[in-house]
Amino acid sequence: MNSFEIYTILKDHFGGVGSWWPKDSPFEVVIGAILTQQSTWTNVEKAIKNLKEEKILTPRDISYVPLNKLKYLIKPSGFFNQKAERLKGISEYLLRNYNGDISLLLSKDKVELREELLKLKGVGKETADSIILYAAEKNEFVVDAYTKRLYSRLGNVEEKIEYDDLKKYITTEIPEELTIYQEFHGLIVLLGKNLCKKKNPKCINCPLASKCSFNLKL
Ligand code: SF4
């Protein structure tokens, strides 16, 4: 089963999820992309809700809030010491280099933007690609743990495939369109959270079950 078929089946099953990443501003994507590292969306949402209640939503707000308060507010997302430092670092970088205006960074050419993001402390490939796809709204496919699990269980790739290899594998099989890139990642997350779970996947309810090598071996 190729990636476009997977996308189509998931879209038929879950419905259109549009640009999927919940956000009120591009910088909120950056906050979410850091907080979601080694965490679940449910816990990220609790941390973002805390920040919103305190009206801490811009690079300036984050760089001015006392570190301990920031740690306390984002605690639900886990690894809060490290994540607070990362959020402060990125916010201070944006203030220093772009007067806090993230749109100036996001408007850069995709390749240049990715290189710059990857130089920031705590920003790896998945985080950078999430920011490019959902904050800058440029075509850069995001691969995460849900994607690796899905593709290896389907039998398409090895479980230990590298980030760039899986990204290339998928993007050669789907049209390079922003809506498809954004929506496909969102659909994979929905599948991973609800059906293709790490433990006890609910294959019986899965729309991909008839073509999944993991399910067929059960
Ligand atoms: S059939 Fe099971 S293992 Fe395969 S993709 Fe669906 S939930 Fe995951």
Side-chain angles (χ1 to χ4, degrees):
M1 186 167 28
N2 78 31
S3 298
F4 194 66
E5 281 179 81
I6 298 170
Y7 164 72
T8 307
I9 292 169
L10 292 182
K11 190 171 174 178
D12 285 347
H13 184 79
F14 289 110
V17 295
S19 75
W20 174 72
W21 191 294
K23 62 172 189 280
D24 289 332
S25 70
F27 188 64
E28 199 179 313
V29 176
V30 176
I31 296 175
I34 294 293
L35 296 184
T36 199
Q37 295 169 349
Q38 295 160 289
S39 186
T40 63
W41 254 114
T42 313
N43 290 332
V44 172
E45 277 165 357
K46 288 180 195 159
I48 290 180
K49 185 168 170 275
N50 288 346
L51 292 171
K52 282 186 171 170
E53 281 172 2
E54 293 288 322
K55 297 190 173 26
I56 298 171
L57 290 164
T58 66
R60 207 168 296 277
D61 299 334
I62 287 191
S63 65
Y64 289 166
V65 69
L67 183 61
N68 281 340
K69 182 171 179 183
L70 181 60
K71 288 180 183 176
Y72 174 76
L73 293 171
I74 65 167
K75 199 168 181 179
S77 73
F79 300 94
F80 54 91
N81 288 318
Q82 189 184 53
K83 290 177 183 176
E85 302 275 2
R86 288 177 178 178
L87 286 175
K88 284 253 176 209
I90 294 171
S91 299
E92 280 154 16
Y93 178 85
L94 290 170
L95 280 180
R96 254 193 334 273
N97 296 282
Y98 299 99
N99 196 26
D101 184 354
I102 194 172
S103 67
L104 298 174
L105 170 65
L106 298 178
S107 63
K108 288 191 171 181
D109 161 80
K110 188 175 76 172
V111 175
E112 203 185 333
L113 171 59
R114 193 169 193 264
E115 278 172 10
E116 190 165 337
L117 288 170
L118 288 171
K119 284 183 193 149
L120 298 175
K121 197 167 178 197
V123 177
K125 291 175 181 175
E126 182 186 332
T127 305
D129 290 345
S130 300
I131 294 169
I132 298 169
L133 183 60
Y134 293 105
E137 306 222 274
K138 299 181 200 285
N139 300 344
E140 196 71 64
F141 196 74
V142 180
V143 166
D144 64 359
Y146 292 126
T147 320
K148 281 193 184 182
R149 190 193 304 155
L150 170 64
Y151 272 77
S152 62
R153 283 180 172 174
L154 289 173
N156 288 28
V157 302
E158 294 293 320
E159 201 178 339
K160 294 207 181 306
I161 189 166
E162 294 293 328
Y163 186 98
D164 293 325
D165 294 336
L166 181 53
K167 182 171 161 177
K168 193 170 173 195
Y169 179 94
I170 295 172
T171 51
T172 53
E173 294 185 336
I174 57 174
E176 194 182 340
E177 287 176 22
L178 181 65
T179 48
I180 292 179
Y181 276 30
Q182 290 183 330
E183 192 159 54
F184 193 19
H185 176 66
L187 290 165
I188 290 171
V189 174
L190 273 179
L191 182 81
K193 274 170 68 174
N194 296 298
L195 299 173
C196 198
K197 296 164 180 265
K198 194 169 183 179
K199 287 184 189 163
N200 305 321
K202 296 181 180 169
C203 303
I204 197 157
N205 298 323
C206 179
L208 304 172
S210 65
K211 294 177 182 172
C212 174
S213 60
F214 183 91
N215 174 55
L216 296 173
K217 273 189 244 152
L218 290 177

